[in-house]
Amino acid sequence: MLIDVRINEDGDQEVFQEIPTPEDVPVVFSATDIRKEDTGVHAEISIEFDGFDTYTVCNVKRDPDRGRLINKAHKTFGGSLEEAEHVLPKIKLIQLFDNFCKKIWATKMRVSAPTDIQGTTDVGSVLYTLKPHVLTGGGTIMFGKPGKGKSFTGMMMALAVQYGTNHYWGTDKGNALFVNLERPDRTMPPRIGAVGKALGIENAKLPVLDARGSSLKDVHSILEAYVKTNETKFVVIDSISRAGQGDMKEDKVATKTIDMLNNIGVSWLAIAHTPKYDETIYYGNSQYEAGADVMLRHTSTVIDDVGSIALLLEVTKANDMPVPKPMGLHYSFDELGLNSIRFAKKEEVASLETEPNLYEGIKDLLHDFSALSATSLASKLNVSRKEITDQLKIMFSNSAIVSVGKEGNEKTYGLKHYE
């Protein structure tokens, strides 16, 4: 009658004890969702016999709560008091169950104690779900400015894992899931179709949890249950700004959000946004970066009159893996949306590799103010005028900006019409 720990059919850790009976069917005590709160140890405790499962959620050391559960459970042992006593006398049930509840926390602590782990120098021990950007069982935060193609990239990653396509990443094929917290559900079918076709996948299908207006906290239980039931390997969350834990700049909020993502139990990628004038950092607390295994910066720019974009994926933090070279991609669009994907040419992402926050900062200011001089730009971005003029030359050569007039003796610059 040893008290031990197992993983139950829901994939949760469970403290349990089996009590033999004359009917050759054991009475089973169990406890799940065990946690220590200010008032004591709480858990979902149950007494099961021959298909009858009687349970409650309570402070496991509160005698009245245990007593009510014992009384209810004992009635399921037989059709009469005599039959129930034959299976397991009530006084013995009380003694055994009280002892079980007393040892729940100690048992959980025993199996959770530190253990010796043998080190390895095998390079193959670094495993990827989506090489080189998502580790197996790890978490990646992909951050960039809103409206710059992150959702397309996230969906592309999910479909690559779902179908095992290896055009852009090395994939460990398996079930994927896209969690949509930001966009109307009607936009998902055309996006999946367009991205799938661009990847060479005919009639692409992808599991999607549509929950626009909800937070990750709201759908977390649904998400966990789906992942376990469907053996999901990879989850993309769009986006982490809708975690629902509170102010993203607070330490506790960031820690709770990362814990919630890790508790999904599989590889995940969460999309995050950046402040308006600085694409080199994500919006929120440093605990997001501390908790993620990979931080992936997503920068992009429009490069022609038809709205094609070049984007750069750059790992800025990596745990347990080498930092890969930046990956450049090119997305083309038509009246139906995305129509093709390819690796970007070096010159197409040159502006993103050179001071990406300065490049995007200039674009944002020219968008807001229509026309500015190099001196005005330098003042607003708090950098030297030479840094601005060097960047303006690159942007001018890439046809990202045009000369639109003068401010005193200085030229002023504005964005091309397609931007």
Side-chain angles (χ1 to χ4, degrees), residues 5 55 58 61 95 168 178 182 214 256 366 377-378 409:
V5 176
Y55 64 92
C58 66
K61 292 191 177 182
Q95 293 170 343
Y168 307 100
F178 191 93
E182 296 206 341
S214 299
K256 285 181 180 178
L366 293 182
L377 287 166
N409 293 324

Side-chain angles (χ1 to χ4, degrees), residues 217-368:
K217 183 179 179 181
D218 293 335
V219 303
H220 190 256
S221 296
I222 299 170
L223 177 57
E224 279 192 313
Y226 182 89
V227 165
K228 291 174 183 176
T229 303
N230 295 275
E231 298 182 349
T232 302
K233 179 173 287 186
F234 180 46
V235 176
V236 175
I237 299 99
D238 187 11
S239 70
I240 200 173
S241 63
R242 300 195 63 86
Q245 296 286 356
D247 188 342
M248 291 181 67
K249 292 183 179 180
E250 294 183 3
D251 286 353
K252 288 184 179 179
V253 170
T255 302
K256 285 181 180 178
T257 302
I258 290 294
D259 287 345
M260 189 164 51
L261 290 166
N262 287 332
N263 286 341
I264 297 171
V266 298
S267 302
W268 55 265
L269 178 137
I271 294 172
H273 303 312
T274 61
K276 186 172 183 180
Y277 292 123
D278 193 348
E279 202 163 353
T280 64
I281 60 173
Y282 56 93
Y283 181 82
N285 187 280
S286 62
Q287 294 302 315
Y288 291 105
E289 183 170 355
D293 296 292
V294 178
M295 295 297 293
L296 182 63
R297 184 165 62 201
H298 183 293
T299 54
S300 66
T301 185
V302 178
I303 60 172
D304 59 29
D305 291 333
V306 295
S308 300
I309 65 172
L311 64 94
L312 195 69
L313 297 175
E314 183 181 6
V315 173
T316 61
K317 178 222 172 173
N319 284 344
D320 302 323
M321 58 175 260
V323 176
K325 292 181 179 179
M327 176 191 291
L329 296 172
H330 178 283
Y331 295 170
S332 293
F333 297 84
D334 58 23
E335 64 277 4
L336 298 177
L338 181 72
N339 67 11
S340 69
I341 302 169
R342 62 170 169 81
F343 283 115
K345 299 174 183 177
K346 187 174 182 180
E347 59 269 23
E348 291 173 334
V349 293
S351 62
L352 301 175
E353 294 176 332
T354 306
E355 297 291 347
N357 70 319
L358 187 56
Y359 183 91
E360 292 298 327
I362 291 173
K363 284 179 61 179
D364 283 336
L365 286 170
L366 293 182
H367 178 271
D368 290 347

